[in-house]
Amino acid sequence: MRYEALANRDWAGIVTRLGGAAALDRTARETKAFVRPREIRNAVDLLRLILAYCLGERGFRLTAAWATSVGLVDVSSVALLYRLRQCGDWLALLIGQALAAAAPRPAEVA
């Protein structure tokens, strides 16, 4: 995945591959990664911020500036750091689901 994919039409496909917005919201709330909307309105926006930070070669300040420039959210670098610290369990769950969905199915023995 390229960093640019987070800012264009590829983003909708990424969300769909991860189960859709409703599933992302549900799992983010279950794992306490997203408790209530404030600056970050929903779990999809939070995931977009996480991936922007992780995939980009930018720090928290530039990731926060990028989010403001694309109209995603106006958040400080400190607030972004705090939110990303809460997301470990959610990301582990999403990665596990993605790997399970991509794993080859065992052959049935006749």
Side-chain angles (χ1 to χ4, degrees):
M1 178 187 313
R2 295 181 330 266
Y3 186 76
E4 297 81 27
L6 299 171
N8 61 31
R9 61 190 154 99
D10 294 340
W11 180 242
I14 293 166
V15 170
T16 300
R17 276 186 259 142
L18 292 172
L24 288 172
D25 188 58
R26 181 182 44 78
T27 56
R29 289 181 187 277
E30 287 172 0
T31 59
K32 307 279 191 265
F34 185 79
V35 179
R36 63 182 175 269
R38 287 193 177 181
E39 298 92 6
I40 301 172
R41 296 176 303 256
N42 55 53
V44 172
D45 291 347
L46 177 60
L47 180 62
R48 197 169 173 190
L49 282 168
I50 293 167
L51 293 177
Y53 174 73
C54 292
L55 295 175
E57 297 177 6
R58 298 163 172 88
F60 287 109
R61 274 191 256 165
L62 289 177
T63 301
W66 169 83
T68 301
S69 72
V70 298
L72 181 62
V73 63
D74 188 6
V75 65
S76 72
S77 59
V78 174
L80 181 60
L81 170 64
Y82 174 78
R83 294 303 289 266
L84 267 60
R85 283 184 176 169
Q86 310 303 315
C87 295
D89 292 340
W90 184 43
L91 292 176
L93 177 72
L94 292 177
I95 291 168
Q97 289 174 345
L99 290 174
R105 303 289 177 230
E108 291 186 24
V109 179

